[in-house]
Amino acid sequence: MSNVTETVAPVTLTEGAKKEIKKLMSQQELDASFGLRLGVQGGGCSGMSYVLGFDQIKEGDSQYEIDGIKVFMHKAHGLYLAGMEVDFQQGLNARGFVFNNPNASSTCGCGTSFSV
């Protein structure tokens, strides 16, 4: 299992996303072994969908730290997520996390699935 923290995270979190993630972690009273898992999985209307949730480190993961937030990502997912920005929006029309992925050749209308 990898316990090494990489120096430069392949993704960025906006201030809004960091604030919301820290709030959610506090509300769920997670212990220090938990962090934010970012990844991809097959599915969704465009072929792949994003994974975003709280988890513990697993075999094959890289670990990053972004402003005090531990981020876990399976090494194979870096190809799909490198350069991605995660934002949190609180607008009238939508509320939630938004993924701005420069690797996506197309996305679905809801913004939670993509293809490369």
Side-chain angles (χ1 to χ4, degrees):
M1 182 171 345
S2 173
N3 287 325
V4 176
T5 300
E6 303 287 331
T7 55
V8 178
V11 299
T12 57
L13 303 173
T14 65
E15 289 303 316
K18 289 186 272 191
K19 182 179 175 184
E20 186 67 15
I21 290 164
K22 288 177 180 179
K23 181 177 104 179
L24 291 170
M25 289 183 87
S26 173
Q27 287 175 346
Q28 294 186 23
E29 299 177 1
L30 301 172
D31 69 51
S33 67
F34 281 81
L36 179 71
R37 174 159 305 278
L38 282 171
V40 296
Q41 64 185 11
C45 31
S46 291
M48 301 186 88
S49 60
Y50 297 107
V51 173
L52 179 72
F54 300 117
D55 199 0
Q56 295 174 313
I57 195 163
K58 295 180 181 173
E59 184 77 31
D61 281 349
S62 291
Q63 178 178 328
Y64 307 94
E65 187 165 320
I66 302 174
D67 289 338
I69 300 170
K70 284 192 291 189
V71 178
F72 305 135
M73 181 188 307
H74 192 279
K75 291 177 182 174
H77 296 186
L79 172 70
Y80 304 106
L81 301 178
M84 183 175 77
E85 176 190 75
V86 179
D87 190 14
F88 184 78
Q89 308 249 322
Q90 296 192 68
L92 294 173
N93 295 328
R95 182 179 193 278
F97 288 97
V98 177
F99 305 94
N100 300 310
N101 189 344
N103 303 304
S105 60
S106 66
T107 59
C108 68
C110 64
T112 60
S113 71
F114 68 101
S115 63
V116 289

